[in-house]
Amino acid sequence: MSKGRTEQFTAQVGGCTTNYAVTWAVREGASGGTIAPDEEYKDSRVALYTAPAAAGGPYHVVAASVDDPSVTGSATVQVMAEGFYLTGDMS
């Protein structure tokens, strides 16, 4: 994705849980961009990722179940000077 661009991410929690809430993080910390719940949706499963101002990566956006933090999903993000290239989905 382009440096500085913001994209929406969505996580789905399956299994035996009754709490579908997730927490979000960028594995590489602030150098890999920021992610926070999208306040418009009032649902922690929808978040906005903002890429860092410089090209780089790969960076990893991680969603973890609130009920069981060992249950996670991640997406890999490569930040480019310009453009957007989808490399996969959260799995």
Side-chain angles (χ1 to χ4, degrees), residues 34-69:
T34 61
I35 186 132
D38 186 340
E39 297 298 324
E40 181 179 333
Y41 287 87
K42 311 233 184 285
D43 182 338
S44 69
R45 294 175 293 170
V46 181
L48 295 176
Y49 169 77
T50 301
Y59 303 115
H60 302 88
V61 176
V62 180
S65 167
V66 169
D67 271 358
D68 183 355

Side-chain angles (χ1 to χ4, degrees), residues 1 3 7-8 19 27 41 43-44 47 51 57 61 66 72 74-75 79 83 89:
M1 69 186 298
K3 58 186 181 178
E7 290 290 332
Q8 187 180 75
N19 181 359
R27 186 175 298 150
Y41 287 87
D43 182 338
S44 69
V61 176
V66 169
T72 65
S74 66
V79 179
D89 57 14

